[in-house]
Amino acid sequence: MSIKAGIVGAAGFAGIELVRILTEHPTFELNVVTSDSLAGTPVTDLYPALLGHTDLAFEPHGLDALAECDAVFLAVPHTAAMSQVPALLEAGISVFDLSADYRLKDADVYERWYATRHTSPGLLEKAAFGLPELFASDLVRAAGERKAGHPALVACAGCYPTATSLAAAPAVRARLVSGTVIVDAVSGVTGAGKKATERTHFCFANESVEAYGVGTHRHTPEIEQILGLPGRIVFTPHLAPLNRGILSTVYLPLDAEHAKGSSIEDIHALYEGFYADDGFVQVLPIGSMPKTGSVAGSNSCHIGLALSQAGDMLIAVSAIDNLCKGAAGQAVQCANIVFGLPEATGLSASALPV
Amino acid sequence: MSIKAGIVGAAGFAGIELVRILTEHPTFELNVVTSDSLAGTPVTDLYPALLGHTDLAFEPHGLDALAECDAVFLAVPHTAAMSQVPALLEAGISVFDLSADYRLKDADVYERWYATRHTSPGLLEKAAFGLPELFASDLVRAAGERKAGHPALVACAGCYPTATSLAAAPAVRARLVSGTVIVDAVSGVTGAGKKATERTHFCFANESVEAYGVGTHRHTPEIEQILGLPGRIVFTPHLAPLNRGILSTVYLPLDAEHAKGSSIEDIHALYEGFYADDGFVQVLPIGSMPKTGSVAGSNSCHIGLALSQAGDMLIAVSAIDNLCKGAAGQAVQCANIVFGLPEATGLSASALPV
Amino acid sequence: MSIKAGIVGAAGFAGIELVRILTEHPTFELNVVTSDSLAGTPVTDLYPALLGHTDLAFEPHGLDALAECDAVFLAVPHTAAMSQVPALLEAGISVFDLSADYRLKDADVYERWYATRHTSPGLLEKAAFGLPELFASDLVRAAGERKAGHPALVACAGCYPTATSLAAAPAVRARLVSGTVIVDAVSGVTGAGKKATERTHFCFANESVEAYGVGTHRHTPEIEQILGLPGRIVFTPHLAPLNRGILSTVYLPLDAEHAKGSSIEDIHALYEGFYADDGFVQVLPIGSMPKTGSVAGSNSCHIGLALSQAGDMLIAVSAIDNLCKGAAGQAVQCANIVFGLPEATGLSASALPV
Amino acid sequence: MSIKAGIVGAAGFAGIELVRILTEHPTFELNVVTSDSLAGTPVTDLYPALLGHTDLAFEPHGLDALAECDAVFLAVPHTAAMSQVPALLEAGISVFDLSADYRLKDADVYERWYATRHTSPGLLEKAAFGLPELFASDLVRAAGERKAGHPALVACAGCYPTATSLAAAPAVRARLVSGTVIVDAVSGVTGAGKKATERTHFCFANESVEAYGVGTHRHTPEIEQILGLPGRIVFTPHLAPLNRGILSTVYLPLDAEHAKGSSIEDIHALYEGFYADDGFVQVLPIGSMPKTGSVAGSNSCHIGLALSQAGDMLIAVSAIDNLCKGAAGQAVQCANIVFGLPEATGLSASALPV
């Protein structure tokens, strides 16, 4: 079997990570990669790491180029995605959207945070949420529909929401958490995108850590939706001098009643059980904390757990690669499920050990 | 005027930063630097950056070498400091202790967190707390005593406590804060010390961010003492791949009554007023957040302020150089005050702009 | 088919890279990993990147543990290798030695540079030289012998020699080069090994470049032997602040007679022809120069070519990953050949594009 | 005494380093900083490291703004400098030009390498060459002329030429060198300038080393002119992932006759003598090699020396900070001399020891 795939916006960082994964994927066959600004340029001119791995050149955006595809991955900014999704679906093509356009179920919330009117709100309900460990049934449903001839639309979760929600969900879903949840996260510079700016200039990013988007980052409502904690997330992202990786430190106040008497061992066991069937998630032993370097280049998520001194707050720390599990890897994981493949197909590489 | 100075433990990272500052200081005259393990070695063999700036060699520890000093800076681990302080004071030498030994006013708290009995608890009350922007009167008192012939003992604040308390104190002291304060901080690798270990190996620290000491870090009680918030600090330190710098992101729940109606502009004005006379602290304009790179190598602290979406939490972010304002620079600032010099003497250099 | 494999010295950086590659290899089955100092420790305690990829724990060194192996990879220091090789071969086990012990064909040269007497000089002639692109026939012979029941001994080339020789060999073998060849190379810090030292401390290696082993590095005679240029190599290695990668800039004076009239296009065509069948080597277009980042984590070698202003010197620049093509990857490539597999088996991953 | 100074092109990396140095300088008084693209912006908006150190805002370029200056530093690209120098000199203002416009004494060589006609070739002879350790008499002459009422024009040496020439000059001037000299140098990313490009993007520069401008870099003729070795320099620059620093490894073939019998001790003594009166140059002991990290942020140059195995080639390695001794610091050093101050005024800070 071979599934024909295309990537829209393949020259960006999430896009090229999709190229990397799909060129090695045993079942997906990558036929089209698009980039308006770089149309005509061989992929390897821009990314020589892929020399010997792909001969594709970037093509201009447009439905024509994608007509033969079974699956299209959208790695374009928000609003650019929703301008293309309806036509792709109508053409019978399953869409894996890495943008924010179909993540928020409420079009009003989208409009408030993204300052733009949603142009296809009718698709919001259809869209499966692309975070397999937490929304498996969404993807199972999409897989069924696709088998029945209806193309899938998967709204892949954002990078910070993925890291944060995997750290928080087992405790939240077990109703152990009350009050406001603080999320303090650090990202590598690939998270700031391929555009050369002052923020991404080596000499400004290097040897420095900074906070940004304090109190205003658009991943806030997404985390609230995933965890079912409307208005209860305070989220502060930071930038650190590394290429790949997100570390999310999540402060979960324990509910005085439901979590009464819960030891760290109890909570650790809860997490291990929660993720027992999820090959990409590793709950570290009590006493260990994750490092982003241990997951860079992989689709893994490592989670560490500790209690505060007073014992009334769970501190859950997770590490992912923002471009892989936080973007391209997760999209391929979703596509594997939707197309009936084992979810780890083409995603089994570990991070470099050092 | 020339003030004779010595540094005990000068080969470590805080120690060598003291050497750097004192060799350029116009009034302090650095005569003795000690290191037991490196006795006999010229300072510049280990730190060639100081070639042409000092001809000193490390001497073995011991009171004899320090007998001629007016001031001694202790850059040794906790317990090693308190084993030397009483004798130094008896010899009439003022002591600026960078260790934790005299920071905590309650010997029981010290014993609980440092797992050792304090050997000179009688000196805890005498010790001035070395964080001039918040404990000016302590240092003024010590200066007066020194002038009257009594050597000073200054317990210089720790690196995380300095960054965190400068970010939090104006709001806390104005009684705007209630409930638990979460402190999420990131340090460069100099914070892990000069010892070559797996944690400090380039290849393990590079390209990675990690949390450590979660729920157990010894700076927790120090922050609680400084801010007067016993049992109300949850503190998580992280390690990021840079040499120097601490960024502390402090989440301060606003008191429903006292902070009622406080806008970010109000709070910003409060901070500007609080630090109006403190040349080392810069409160950034609303909308700006600090970067550690902007303070590395300097004694400055940059502070940025924002409110949470809901408006009920102040997010105060501060950046310092952990070795300078967080250790050696602050110690010299304290020594300047104690010896009657302008506090910025020898500390006026800015960070490199890029 | 499954080939049972063991790794001696698996806790070091080359060793753990072998673990990474062999745990994903479709044919080799990794059964034993040894480390004397870490015996009993699970691999993933030290290298959490491999969580979910291996359950092995380090075992103590010793022939017993390896008795069932078909192939053993030695990732131990020089002299430690030659103390084990004869017994392994006698036990019928093929050996892939990543140390320097069997690389130099002349035991006297070995003794001069390594300051130790060779204990099995009789094996030097038997040893195949493990640099497949330049010594294919050696490996073909070893494969034949192995098939005939005689275990192979492969002396895998060193990291700097691999990068340098791949850059220089086409020109040297075409007799275009005369006089002294200068090799100026830069390595990432993994090249300095896993041992925590002052040199490998993050804070000393970060934000700095330095030369080391100037005029005395032991890879000099190895490069001279590979290229057949005795006494004609001047080699200077440098250390740069990155984990993985070697960039070797090789200055090849063109022979006035043999290279007369050779344009850069001629030489580029020569290189492309030379490596036409070598899937791991990419000769970049004229005008492009390699970056180590484009090969990190892969078994690739990228080569760029230019002439000096005067046109009488070829400047050939190559990039490899010192731990992969410069060590573990190359060893597996050799083992693939010796065991009759396609040479790229288990080695097809590209570097991360960003 | 106070000398009024202005900086043209102050927003770039060399420009802002001039700002940093001159704001702390005891004699120069920085009154004007210009930047066409950023006119009106406070310096500290762009470079918050200077908060509390300067209140200047960038002004648009133009002679009017500079009319009151005694000295102007030009930190603009080549051709932009020569368009302003004649008018500045006519206005009686001494000029310290950091561009390449007045470095090459031969206008034809300039035209060949910079592909543009020189518009004031008559000034080339007047221009003092700004590399004090090697062209002291030039600067003494300029100082005399300025005292006599004639404004000085100093063409400050480039970054690579400074590092390289300081490493090579003592041997070259002693006629120990024959044949072609190979210069293999590595620069930090500030050397690539402030412009945000693909090359300077953090994610492309980080974790990678690359060669660039191979055989074509414009600093080649400048090095040849300084050393008096026309057509005898082969120069290859590289980029490494650090902010500041150049390491230049210079391969100097020893002349069979003049250098006959010269030991490394002889050559080391020659270098020590050569630089005996130059406070910014440190010749390291035999066996030590320089690190760029030991000079970053300072005006120092560290030099290490070794012989090749065969003893017929001197390998001289030098480290400087490309923005300081390689640009802004050296310009201020020249200005100090021209205005009759001790050359180290305002330049005495060491690099950070770690």
Side-chain angles (χ1 to χ4, degrees):
Chain A
M1 183 179 80
S2 157
I3 305 163
K4 296 197 183 78
I7 302 167
V8 177
F13 286 167
I16 199 65
E17 180 75 348
L18 281 164
V19 175
R20 176 181 78 88
I21 294 168
L22 292 180
T23 52
E24 302 290 316
H25 197 285
T27 311
F28 284 99
E29 181 193 316
L30 182 61
N31 291 319
V32 191
V33 295
T34 81
S35 163
D36 261 349
S37 59
L38 289 158
T41 306
V43 167
T44 54
D45 277 17
L46 202 62
Y47 294 104
L50 298 176
L51 275 168
H53 295 266
T54 183
D55 293 324
L56 290 172
F58 296 113
E59 301 181 34
H61 291 338
L63 194 53
D64 285 1
L66 306 165
E68 303 296 313
C69 290
D70 302 305
V72 162
F73 295 82
L74 294 179
V76 291
H78 66 94
T79 76
M82 66 184 172
S83 76
Q84 302 175 52
V85 164
L88 286 164
L89 293 176
E90 269 167 45
I93 300 169
S94 288
V95 177
F96 300 88
D97 178 16
L98 281 74
S99 88
D101 281 351
Y102 297 92
R103 292 177 192 158
L104 297 173
K105 292 300 179 189
D106 183 334
D108 291 341
V109 175
Y110 179 86
E111 190 172 338
R112 194 155 69 245
W113 285 85
Y114 289 87
T116 194
R117 176 139 236 114
H118 205 290
T119 56
S120 49
L123 288 173
L124 291 175
E125 200 176 353
K126 171 188 173 55
F129 196 79
L131 207 177
E133 288 80 4
L134 301 184
F135 296 90
S137 61
D138 262 39
L139 293 161
V140 168
R141 173 178 57 77
E145 289 175 13
R146 195 206 55 83
K147 221 172 168 181
H150 306 294
L153 169 58
V154 178
C156 299
C159 53
Y160 287 120
T162 295
T164 302
S165 303
L166 290 173
V172 171
R173 291 199 179 170
R175 298 173 177 277
L176 300 184
V177 178
S178 69
T180 296
V181 173
I182 286 175
V183 177
D184 194 290
V186 190
S187 173
V189 186
T190 52
K194 175 171 165 280
K195 200 173 170 191
T197 65
E198 214 149 274
R199 168 157 286 167
T200 60
H201 192 297
F202 182 87
C203 302
F204 289 113
N206 188 35
E207 287 295 292
S208 199
V209 178
E210 64 182 305
Y212 68 98
V214 182
T216 64
H217 198 283
R218 285 161 167 172
H219 282 170
T220 308
E222 188 180 336
I223 299 170
E224 293 180 343
Q225 174 184 292
I226 295 173
L227 295 175
L229 298 174
R232 285 172 55 193
I233 297 293
V234 172
F235 167 51
T236 308
H238 298 75
L239 206 61
L242 55 154
N243 277 9
R244 289 167 175 247
I246 282 182
L247 193 85
S248 189
T249 302
V250 188
Y251 298 87
L252 300 147
L254 293 173
D255 185 80
E257 192 183 337
H258 285 97
K260 199 176 175 179
S262 288
S263 66
I264 186 65
E265 287 76 17
D266 296 334
I267 295 172
H268 188 264
L270 168 74
Y271 272 69
E272 286 203 312
F274 191 97
Y275 290 121
D277 298 329
D278 293 303
F280 291 122
V281 180
Q282 300 283 339
V283 181
L284 304 185
I286 296 169
S288 289
M289 281 288 155
K291 301 182 53 170
T292 62
S294 297
V295 297
S298 84
N299 203 50
S300 299
C301 174
H302 289 185
I303 297 175
L305 301 167
L307 289 185
S308 64
Q309 276 286 317
D312 57 357
M313 187 174 283
L314 173 64
I315 305 164
V317 184
S318 63
I320 64 167
D321 179 330
N322 55 305
L323 291 185
C324 197
K325 180 61 180 166
Q330 182 147 272
V332 172
Q333 183 184 356
C334 292
N336 284 339
I337 296 169
V338 165
F339 282 89
L341 307 171
E343 69 169 355
T345 312
L347 295 169
S348 62
S350 72
L352 297 179
V354 76
Chain B
M1 181 180 81
S2 157
I3 305 164
K4 296 197 182 79
I7 302 167
V8 177
F13 286 168
I16 200 64
E17 180 74 350
L18 281 164
V19 175
R20 176 182 77 85
I21 294 170
L22 292 179
T23 52
E24 303 290 316
H25 197 286
T27 310
F28 284 99
E29 181 193 317
L30 183 61
N31 290 319
V32 190
V33 294
T34 80
S35 164
D36 260 349
S37 58
L38 290 157
T41 306
V43 167
T44 53
D45 277 16
L46 201 62
Y47 295 103
L50 298 177
L51 275 168
H53 295 266
T54 182
D55 292 325
L56 291 172
F58 296 112
E59 301 180 34
H61 291 337
L63 194 53
D64 285 0
L66 305 166
E68 303 297 312
C69 290
D70 302 304
V72 162
F73 296 83
L74 294 179
V76 291
H78 66 93
T79 76
M82 65 184 173
S83 76
Q84 303 176 50
V85 164
L88 286 164
L89 293 176
E90 268 167 46
I93 300 170
S94 288
V95 176
F96 301 87
D97 178 15
L98 283 73
S99 89
D101 281 351
Y102 297 92
R103 292 178 191 157
L104 297 173
K105 293 299 179 189
D106 184 333
D108 291 341
V109 175
Y110 179 86
E111 190 171 339
R112 193 155 69 247
W113 285 86
Y114 290 86
T116 193
R117 177 139 235 116
H118 205 292
T119 55
S120 49
L123 288 174
L124 292 175
E125 199 176 353
K126 170 186 173 56
F129 196 79
L131 207 178
E133 288 81 4
L134 302 184
F135 296 90
S137 61
D138 262 39
L139 294 161
V140 168
R141 173 177 57 76
E145 289 175 12
R146 193 205 56 82
K147 220 170 166 180
H150 307 293
L153 169 58
V154 178
C156 300
C159 53
Y160 286 120
T162 295
T164 301
S165 303
L166 290 173
V172 171
R173 292 201 178 168
R175 298 173 177 277
L176 300 184
V177 178
S178 69
T180 296
V181 173
I182 287 175
V183 177
D184 194 291
V186 191
S187 173
V189 186
T190 51
K194 175 169 166 279
K195 200 173 170 193
T197 65
E198 215 150 274
R199 167 155 285 166
T200 61
H201 193 296
F202 183 87
C203 301
F204 289 113
N206 187 35
E207 287 294 291
S208 197
V209 178
E210 63 183 304
Y212 69 98
V214 183
T216 64
H217 197 283
R218 287 163 166 169
H219 282 172
T220 308
E222 187 180 336
I223 299 170
E224 293 181 342
Q225 175 184 294
I226 295 173
L227 295 175
L229 299 175
R232 287 171 55 193
I233 298 293
V234 172
F235 167 52
T236 309
H238 298 76
L239 207 61
L242 54 154
N243 278 8
R244 288 169 175 245
I246 282 181
L247 194 84
S248 187
T249 301
V250 188
Y251 299 87
L252 300 146
L254 293 173
D255 186 81
E257 192 184 336
H258 285 98
K260 200 176 176 180
S262 289
S263 66
I264 186 65
E265 287 76 16
D266 297 335
I267 295 172
H268 188 264
L270 168 73
Y271 272 68
E272 285 202 313
F274 191 96
Y275 290 122
D277 298 329
D278 292 305
F280 290 122
V281 179
Q282 300 281 339
V283 182
L284 303 185
I286 296 169
S288 289
M289 280 289 155
K291 301 180 53 169
T292 62
S294 298
V295 297
S298 84
N299 204 49
S300 299
C301 174
H302 288 186
I303 297 175
L305 302 167
L307 289 185
S308 65
Q309 276 286 316
D312 58 357
M313 188 174 281
L314 173 65
I315 305 165
V317 184
S318 62
I320 63 166
D321 179 330
N322 55 305
L323 291 186
C324 196
K325 180 61 180 166
Q330 182 147 274
V332 173
Q333 183 185 355
C334 292
N336 285 338
I337 296 169
V338 165
F339 282 90
L341 307 172
E343 71 170 354
T345 311
L347 295 169
S348 62
S350 72
L352 298 178
V354 75
Chain C
M1 183 180 81
S2 156
I3 305 163
K4 295 198 183 77
I7 302 167
V8 177
F13 286 168
I16 200 65
E17 180 75 349
L18 281 163
V19 175
R20 176 182 77 87
I21 295 168
L22 292 180
T23 52
E24 302 291 315
H25 197 286
T27 311
F28 284 99
E29 183 193 314
L30 182 62
N31 290 319
V32 190
V33 295
T34 80
S35 163
D36 260 349
S37 57
L38 290 158
T41 305
V43 168
T44 54
D45 277 16
L46 201 62
Y47 295 104
L50 299 176
L51 275 169
H53 295 266
T54 182
D55 292 326
L56 291 171
F58 297 112
E59 301 181 34
H61 292 337
L63 195 53
D64 285 1
L66 305 166
E68 302 297 312
C69 291
D70 302 304
V72 162
F73 295 83
L74 294 180
V76 290
H78 66 93
T79 75
M82 65 184 173
S83 75
Q84 303 175 52
V85 165
L88 287 165
L89 292 176
E90 268 168 46
I93 300 170
S94 289
V95 176
F96 302 88
D97 178 15
L98 281 74
S99 88
D101 281 350
Y102 297 91
R103 292 178 192 157
L104 298 173
K105 292 301 179 189
D106 183 335
D108 290 341
V109 175
Y110 179 86
E111 190 172 339
R112 194 155 69 245
W113 285 85
Y114 290 86
T116 192
R117 177 139 235 114
H118 205 291
T119 55
S120 51
L123 288 173
L124 291 176
E125 199 175 354
K126 171 189 172 54
F129 196 79
L131 207 178
E133 289 80 5
L134 301 184
F135 296 89
S137 61
D138 261 39
L139 294 161
V140 169
R141 173 177 57 76
E145 289 175 13
R146 193 206 56 83
K147 221 170 165 181
H150 307 293
L153 169 58
V154 178
C156 299
C159 53
Y160 286 120
T162 295
T164 301
S165 303
L166 290 173
V172 170
R173 291 201 179 168
R175 298 175 178 277
L176 299 184
V177 178
S178 69
T180 296
V181 173
I182 286 174
V183 178
D184 195 290
V186 191
S187 173
V189 185
T190 51
K194 176 170 165 279
K195 200 173 171 193
T197 65
E198 216 150 273
R199 167 155 286 166
T200 61
H201 193 295
F202 183 86
C203 301
F204 290 113
N206 187 36
E207 287 295 292
S208 199
V209 178
E210 63 182 305
Y212 68 98
V214 183
T216 63
H217 197 283
R218 286 163 167 169
H219 282 171
T220 307
E222 188 179 335
I223 299 169
E224 292 180 343
Q225 174 184 294
I226 295 173
L227 295 175
L229 299 175
R232 286 172 54 192
I233 297 293
V234 172
F235 167 52
T236 309
H238 299 75
L239 206 61
L242 54 154
N243 278 8
R244 287 168 175 246
I246 283 181
L247 193 84
S248 188
T249 302
V250 188
Y251 298 87
L252 300 146
L254 293 173
D255 186 81
E257 192 184 334
H258 284 97
K260 200 176 176 179
S262 289
S263 67
I264 186 65
E265 288 77 15
D266 296 335
I267 294 172
H268 188 263
L270 168 74
Y271 272 69
E272 285 203 313
F274 191 96
Y275 290 121
D277 299 329
D278 292 305
F280 289 122
V281 180
Q282 300 283 339
V283 181
L284 304 185
I286 297 169
S288 289
M289 281 290 154
K291 300 181 53 168
T292 62
S294 297
V295 297
S298 84
N299 204 49
S300 299
C301 174
H302 288 186
I303 297 175
L305 301 167
L307 289 185
S308 64
Q309 276 286 316
D312 58 358
M313 187 174 282
L314 174 64
I315 305 164
V317 184
S318 63
I320 64 167
D321 179 329
N322 55 305
L323 290 186
C324 196
K325 180 60 179 167
Q330 182 147 274
V332 173
Q333 183 185 355
C334 293
N336 285 338
I337 296 170
V338 165
F339 281 90
L341 307 172
E343 71 170 354
T345 311
L347 294 169
S348 62
S350 71
L352 298 178
V354 75
Chain D
M1 183 178 79
S2 155
I3 304 164
K4 295 196 183 79
I7 302 167
V8 177
F13 285 168
I16 200 66
E17 180 75 350
L18 281 164
V19 176
R20 176 182 78 85
I21 294 169
L22 292 180
T23 51
E24 302 291 315
H25 198 285
T27 311
F28 284 100
E29 181 193 317
L30 183 61
N31 291 318
V32 191
V33 295
T34 81
S35 163
D36 261 349
S37 58
L38 289 159
T41 305
V43 167
T44 54
D45 277 17
L46 202 62
Y47 294 103
L50 299 177
L51 275 168
H53 295 267
T54 182
D55 292 325
L56 291 171
F58 296 113
E59 301 181 34
H61 291 338
L63 195 53
D64 286 0
L66 305 165
E68 302 297 312
C69 290
D70 302 305
V72 162
F73 295 83
L74 294 180
V76 291
H78 66 94
T79 76
M82 65 184 172
S83 77
Q84 304 175 50
V85 165
L88 287 165
L89 293 176
E90 269 168 43
I93 300 169
S94 288
V95 176
F96 301 87
D97 179 15
L98 282 74
S99 89
D101 281 351
Y102 296 92
R103 292 178 192 158
L104 298 173
K105 292 300 179 190
D106 184 333
D108 291 342
V109 175
Y110 179 86
E111 191 172 338
R112 193 155 70 245
W113 284 85
Y114 289 87
T116 193
R117 176 139 236 115
H118 205 291
T119 55
S120 50
L123 288 174
L124 292 175
E125 200 176 352
K126 171 187 172 57
F129 196 79
L131 207 177
E133 288 80 5
L134 301 184
F135 295 90
S137 61
D138 262 39
L139 294 161
V140 168
R141 173 176 57 76
E145 289 175 13
R146 194 206 56 82
K147 220 172 167 181
H150 307 293
L153 170 57
V154 178
C156 300
C159 55
Y160 286 120
T162 295
T164 302
S165 303
L166 289 174
V172 170
R173 292 200 178 168
R175 298 172 178 278
L176 300 184
V177 178
S178 69
T180 295
V181 172
I182 286 175
V183 178
D184 195 290
V186 191
S187 172
V189 185
T190 52
K194 174 169 166 281
K195 201 174 169 192
T197 65
E198 215 149 273
R199 167 156 285 165
T200 60
H201 193 297
F202 183 86
C203 302
F204 288 114
N206 187 35
E207 287 296 291
S208 198
V209 178
E210 63 182 306
Y212 69 97
V214 183
T216 64
H217 197 283
R218 285 162 166 170
H219 282 171
T220 309
E222 188 180 335
I223 299 170
E224 293 180 343
Q225 173 184 293
I226 295 173
L227 295 176
L229 299 174
R232 286 171 54 192
I233 298 293
V234 172
F235 167 51
T236 308
H238 298 75
L239 207 61
L242 54 155
N243 278 8
R244 289 167 174 246
I246 283 181
L247 194 84
S248 188
T249 302
V250 189
Y251 298 87
L252 300 147
L254 292 173
D255 186 80
E257 192 183 336
H258 285 97
K260 200 175 174 181
S262 290
S263 66
I264 187 64
E265 287 76 16
D266 297 335
I267 295 173
H268 187 264
L270 168 74
Y271 272 69
E272 285 203 313
F274 191 96
Y275 290 122
D277 298 329
D278 292 304
F280 290 122
V281 180
Q282 300 283 340
V283 182
L284 304 184
I286 297 169
S288 289
M289 280 289 154
K291 300 182 53 169
T292 62
S294 297
V295 297
S298 84
N299 203 51
S300 299
C301 174
H302 288 186
I303 297 175
L305 301 167
L307 290 185
S308 64
Q309 277 286 315
D312 57 358
M313 187 174 282
L314 173 65
I315 305 164
V317 184
S318 63
I320 64 167
D321 179 330
N322 55 305
L323 291 186
C324 197
K325 180 61 180 167
Q330 183 146 272
V332 173
Q333 184 185 356
C334 292
N336 284 338
I337 296 169
V338 165
F339 281 90
L341 308 172
E343 70 170 355
T345 312
L347 294 169
S348 62
S350 73
L352 298 178
V354 76

